[in-house]
Amino acid sequence: MVAPKPISLKALNYQRPETHRGYTDHFLDIDLSVPTIAIGTIDTKIKQTFIGGKGFDLWLLWQAVSGQTRWNDPQNAICIASGPMGGTPSFPGSGKSIVTAISPLTGSVIDSNVGGYFGPYLKFSGFDALRITGKSAGDTVIFIDGVAGKIEILSMTGLPSDAYALSDMLSQHFAADKKTGVSVVSSGPGAANTRIGCLNFSWYDNGRGRVRYKQAGRGGIGTVFADKGLKAVVARWEQVSLKTNRPADLEAVRAVAKRYAREIVELDPKQNEMARIGTTHLVPIMNDFDLLPTNNFQYGSHPAAALIGREAFEKLFDPGFDGCWKGCTVACAHGVRDFVPFTGAYKGCKVFVDGPEYETIAGCGSNLGIFDPFTILEMNFYCDTYGLDTISVGTAIAFAMECFERGLINRDHTGGMDLSFGNRLNALELVHQMAAGTGFGTIVGQGVRRMKAIFAERFGADPAMLKDIGMESKGLEFSEYMTKESLAQQGGYGLALKGPQHDEAWLIFLDMVHNFMPTFEQKAEALHWFPMVRTWFGLCGLCKLPWNDIVPEDNKATPEPAKVMKHVGWYADYYTAVTGNNATPEDLITMSETVYNYQRIFSLKMGYGTREHDTLPYRAVGPVTVEEYESRQERYDRQLTETHQVDIAGKDTPWKVAALRSRREARYETLKDAVYKRRGWTDRGIPTVATVKRLGIDFPDVLAVLAENGVT
């Protein structure tokens, strides 16, 4: 297919700022409404405070919006940035981008990280960050040509809505015979018709001769993208080497990259085999430890889980190098070649599926009572094609299915569909409906929080039950881990700034599988340190997986094995070598603490970010129903009698459900107190003035937000 002829709406020729020590010190500012293209500078103070990546995004977004800005206002900004280390080939996981915006799901600031080549190509084109505000008439493409030194806003009427067809066409159109030099950000029709749209970030797989994708999935940023009338943002760059970032100490970068890459090549085959099976290895582990979400998080295991685990997908994945950035030895971005969908527009055609990863398998598989890998592949493929977040899709459909099975909704509400768990055809039909904006899919595509309101107000469903089983917090759907038995992960989800997403505090593996934090105090401390170290990766353009998914052989013998401090030390060396700023592992935590607190106050600015917003549905804390309790009766009875000293003799299950609930809810509130204190926040969960002064973010507008909320 040939791309339609573009019409230039605005163009700017520019002298490309050179990268120096990982930075260009400039950002690209585009307003689609006027339209305008401007280049801004990033001064030393901003760079030292916000570091890069998510830090730069938040700083730019804060300047663009007021506390009254809503997600579909022109003032809302989509910000994309890499980070000072982003774009380094051969250092594992150095190709990440971070995207932020005001979310259509939460109403507050959301961030989402993604692989692919866009962030590095943006930076090498001269920009540490990109901010897009305003709205266009539609069918708009932004082209950032770092090779020619030209930026254009184009109208391209007639482009395909299908994400794969779109990126393939644009890669060919803008590549100038080098498709590996182009990266496309796009969404799809599902993003325009729901609140759970994702962004696809592309790279060109030269070995297979095709465009591949990673997704910035969380929070509906794809929906914001579609609302702005954007079809795509394209970046073009050419050669990348260790020198392209112009690091302060090239030989030091080379040495630490070689050391880290060598360790991964040696140890990954002995540990998780991510270069061969990606994150599918988590399925049997989560199932064995009763942590695999099943039937809307009611249960944590299922006898058929092996059908959708590593053994299934190692036979389906297409062999080959599958890194989403140049030279990444983790190489976990696997896919399935020649898959043939049995529904939708691609029915009967051979397609390539990018994935699935663990989250998609659990969300679109076990949590829907579906244990067929081919249905999961088809849902994965169509979600990417339509620009839908597989996590929100899975968790939202799971909620609808449980409501259907409990009689809270019926066929009159679903358009005649049987939404019993395991009904794979109707699960797929809902995905197609979401993309088309038709049928019951229009309701499911609003996300769990709005579904709860609709089911109660329109269909007369019990609001209390909906509140207990609707798996969202802050408006964001849960990612795919069972938290009932892990207080640490309850905090990891409930206290996460943006909502229940594991990339901020993924403690369940450390807590439940390795038992690295057995005491209450250790859990509270972990809910300070781990969100901070994880935030740091998002500041620097790095993937977290190499840090603790492949660990040194002697890690267990270290004083704090959960932290994998040997690797943290290597990251400090890497940061120092690129930026020239000497950093210790403790410095990395302080860098993150600054941005983390700024984001919390940003939420406060938007009307959120206090204790009452750090709540969880009770299903995330304990058993809601008699069936759930009795599925783990021995465990729960023992906790009541031994941990809480409750006499349960002669008591029935409903009594025990209530008794356990009161104690678990109290325990979660106590955890909040401990974490707030550790973070330097008030008992309402607001950073104190002393904390923001210590971190150097006591800007007048930050202090004004605190003062408006009674913190002086």
Side-chain angles (χ1 to χ4, degrees), residues 188-441:
N193 292 315
T194 69
R195 290 176 182 257
I196 55 177
C198 75
L199 290 177
N200 288 304
F201 279 56
S202 83
W203 80 96
Y204 193 76
D205 183 337
N206 217 23
R208 296 186 178 89
R210 63 179 314 111
V211 171
R212 302 281 305 280
Y213 274 144
K214 281 288 191 179
Q215 287 75 34
R218 304 315 325 267
I221 302 177
T223 298
V224 180
F225 193 87
D227 183 67
K228 289 186 174 300
L230 278 169
K231 291 293 285 190
V233 183
V234 183
R236 177 172 173 247
W237 182 244
E238 41 187 10
Q239 296 294 324
V240 176
S241 73
L242 275 179
K243 297 179 181 177
T244 314
N245 260 325
R246 294 182 67 198
D249 187 339
L250 178 63
E251 288 310 309
V253 173
R254 197 189 308 278
V256 72
K258 185 176 180 181
R259 187 161 64 234
Y260 210 159
R262 182 184 295 163
E263 182 191 86
I264 289 172
V265 170
E266 178 187 346
L267 297 182
D268 180 51
K270 302 176 184 176
Q271 297 180 12
N272 295 326
E273 298 185 276
M274 298 181 74
R276 196 166 67 86
I277 58 169
T279 55
T280 64
H281 69 282
L282 287 170
V283 176
I285 296 172
M286 293 298 119
N287 192 60
D288 290 347
F289 283 85
D290 209 12
L291 300 170
L292 182 71
T294 303
N295 293 6
N296 194 32
F297 297 88
Q298 292 181 77
Y299 311 109
S301 63
H302 194 281
L307 298 175
I308 57 171
R310 58 178 295 160
E311 291 183 3
F313 286 102
E314 69 182 352
K315 296 169 186 168
L316 292 170
F317 283 146
D318 188 37
F321 175 75
D322 282 306
C324 67
W325 174 245
K326 296 174 186 290
C328 175
T329 46
V330 179
C332 62
H334 302 297
V336 175
R337 182 196 291 267
D338 292 340
F339 175 71
V340 181
F342 59 95
T343 67
Y346 285 88
K347 180 180 179 179
C349 302
K350 289 182 179 178
V351 300
F352 191 93
V353 184
D354 281 302
E357 297 186 25
Y358 165 78
E359 296 288 339
T360 301
I361 295 171
C364 298
S366 61
N367 212 22
L368 305 182
I370 293 172
F371 296 91
D372 168 28
F374 301 103
T375 302
I376 295 168
L377 282 168
E378 187 152 339
M379 292 186 73
N380 189 149
F381 173 74
Y382 277 118
C383 283
D384 294 351
T385 302
Y386 295 150
L388 293 169
D389 172 24
T390 56
I391 295 175
S392 282
V393 164
T395 301
I397 294 177
F399 172 64
M401 284 181 159
E402 183 174 359
C403 288
F404 184 85
E405 288 210 341
R406 294 190 180 282
L408 297 166
I409 61 173
N410 57 47
R411 287 175 187 264
D412 291 340
H413 306 129
T414 64
M417 283 192 290
D418 175 354
L419 287 185
S420 300
F421 285 114
N423 194 324
R424 61 193 186 120
L425 288 177
N426 284 341
L428 276 163
E429 174 59 22
L430 278 176
V431 174
H432 296 310
Q433 288 186 3
M434 285 187 230
T438 59
F440 188 61

Side-chain angles (χ1 to χ4, degrees), residues 51 99 136-137 145 163 177 186 206 220 279 293 310 340 367 371 378 397 411 444 493 498 550 590 595 646 674 690:
I51 307 301
V99 193
S136 71
D145 188 345
D177 298 327
S186 66
N206 217 23
T279 55
R310 58 178 295 160
V340 181
N367 212 22
F371 296 91
E378 187 152 339
I397 294 177
R411 287 175 187 264
V444 179
Y493 272 165
K498 63 186 169 193
I550 302 156
T590 303
V595 176
V646 176

